[in-house]
């Protein structure tokens, strides 16, 4: 089994400065064929073109709303017809919100869970059966330090709850599919420099957060992408059900 015969699917990898795009690049550099699935079709195709250019591997950029089962099914069907078998899934698509609990309403709560939790379910449910059948698979969830320490970075209670739900999802799935050759792990990044917070995290507030990080800086997307790529290696098969912190020491436990 070698990753050059397999496709790695990365959701939410259109965003130019995002963790997903950097992860798709790192996986391609390791030899994977890459499929980028995102709400933003033009961005997904742009990521795929950039990957094919830089790494000389096949890359697919597909429109996909992970919250919509039909949209996920259509993207997975396209890959089944055109791409090598899927060997890895990175559940990266996510949204955040800083709304305080005393202000959050049910609609916002549901939106946060729809993308981070139900979205991850929709695509994982579609892809893991094939991995199990072939006896090889790697699934990685993008959780967050917010799940572990109870917010305190940017996201509010809804985000922390959704990211903690991902940890339980990953751990229980790891137990179920381990015997079938599929590993399931989570990464829990701290503050990473991307556009997920829009312009809402700036100036003094950002400086105060960085002051609480022992290594003295916020994280870079490559810090997370490299770890995910390591977890997806064929040789990483004894690592499952684990959560990896990538937070510069901002939460040590
Ligand atoms: P980002 O906003 O840069 O990228 C998120 C991507 O997800 C975008 O391309 C967006 O179009 C896509 N997306 C959103 N909803 C979608 C949907 N319904 N279907 C498909 N795609 C969808 O975010 P990022 O900072 O790169 O974060 C990536 C992941 O890492 C998220 O799950 C986030 O919660 C997690 N994370 C980020 C940080 C951080 O500090 N940036 C920290 C911890 C965890």
């Amino acid at each position: 089994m070698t990753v050059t015969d397999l496709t790695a699917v990365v959701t939410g990898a259109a965003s130019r400065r995002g963790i997903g795009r950097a992860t798709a690049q790192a996986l391609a550099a390791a030899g994977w064929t890459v499929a980028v699935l995102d709400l933003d079709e033009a961005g997904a195709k742009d990521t795929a073109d950039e990957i094919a250019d830089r790494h000389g591997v096949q890359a697919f950029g597909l429109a996909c709303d992970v919250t919509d089962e039909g949209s996920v099914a259509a993207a997975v069907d396209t890959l089944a017809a055109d791409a090598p078998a899927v060997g890895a899934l990175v559940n990266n698509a996510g949204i955040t919100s800083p709304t305080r609990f005393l202000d959050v309403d049910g609609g916002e709560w549901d939106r946060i869970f729809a993308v981070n939790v139900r979205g991850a379910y929709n695509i994982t449910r579609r892809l893991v059966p094939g991995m199990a059948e072939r006896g090889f698979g790697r699934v990685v969830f993008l959780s967050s330090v917010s799940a572990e320490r109870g917010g305190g970075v940017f996201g509010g209670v809804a985000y922390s709850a959704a990211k903690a739900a991902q940890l339980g999802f990953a751990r229980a799935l790891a137990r179920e599919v381990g015997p079938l050759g599929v590993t399931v792990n989570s990464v829990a990044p701290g503050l990473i420099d991307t556009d997920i917070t829009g312009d809402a995290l700036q100036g003094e507030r950002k400086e105060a957060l960085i002051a609480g990080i022992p290594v003295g800086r916020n994280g870079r997307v490559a810090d997370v992408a490299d770890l995910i790529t390591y977890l997806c290696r064929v040789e990483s098969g004894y690592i499952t059900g684990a959560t990896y912190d990538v937070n510069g020491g901002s939460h040590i436990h």
Side-chain angles (χ1 to χ4, degrees):
M1 177 74 61
T2 153
V3 303
T4 51
D5 302 327
L6 295 167
T7 300
V9 173
V10 185
T11 65
S15 151
R16 183 146 277 287
R17 297 191 330 117
I19 294 168
R21 187 182 282 234
T23 300
Q25 290 284 1
L27 288 163
W32 293 84
T33 293
V34 173
V36 170
L37 274 50
D38 203 291
L39 273 182
D40 170 5
E41 182 174 16
K45 291 197 183 314
D46 184 58
T47 304
D49 289 348
E50 196 181 85
I51 286 171
D53 257 18
R54 273 196 209 162
H55 303 289
V57 299
Q58 238 190 326
F60 299 82
L62 303 174
C64 177
D65 178 352
V66 295
T67 68
D68 175 350
E69 280 184 288
S71 172
V72 169
V76 169
D77 287 350
T78 301
L79 292 178
D82 299 341
V86 174
L89 166 64
V90 183
N91 278 316
N92 171 77
I95 56 171
T96 187
S97 141
T99 309
R100 290 165 54 81
F101 186 71
L102 297 184
D103 298 320
V104 78
D105 60 27
E108 182 170 355
W109 185 275
D110 287 347
R111 273 196 303 284
I112 299 291
F113 271 74
V115 181
N116 291 293
V117 187
R118 180 61 199 256
Y121 161 78
N122 286 339
I123 184 127
T124 306
R125 182 68 185 83
R126 283 259 160 198
L127 291 177
V128 164
M131 294 177 183
E133 229 165 73
R134 290 183 290 274
F136 176 82
R138 302 282 179 258
V139 182
V140 181
F141 284 74
L142 266 293
S143 181
S144 168
V145 69
S146 297
E148 303 173 309
R149 67 182 297 239
V153 182
F154 177 83
V157 174
Y159 181 72
S160 295
K163 290 302 187 187
Q166 290 184 327
L167 294 182
F169 182 163
R171 288 171 180 154
L173 183 61
R175 207 177 277 284
E176 184 172 323
V177 299
L180 307 171
V182 182
T183 66
V184 188
N185 293 289
S186 302
V187 295
L191 180 65
I192 308 296
D193 197 16
T194 73
D195 295 324
I196 196 168
T197 58
D199 289 330
L201 191 56
Q202 300 267 0
E204 276 178 24
R205 188 155 168 223
K206 191 167 179 178
E207 278 167 33
L209 282 174
I210 291 173
I213 303 174
V215 305
R217 63 167 175 90
N218 57 8
R220 303 179 185 120
V221 289
D223 296 329
V224 187
D226 288 348
L227 173 59
I228 295 171
T229 304
Y230 182 86
L231 292 171
C232 289
R233 297 181 325 156
V234 174
E235 298 82 357
S236 297
Y238 205 60
I239 306 172
T240 197
T243 303
Y244 281 80
D245 293 343
V246 197
N247 63 32
S250 59
H251 180 63
I252 299 174
H253 57 114

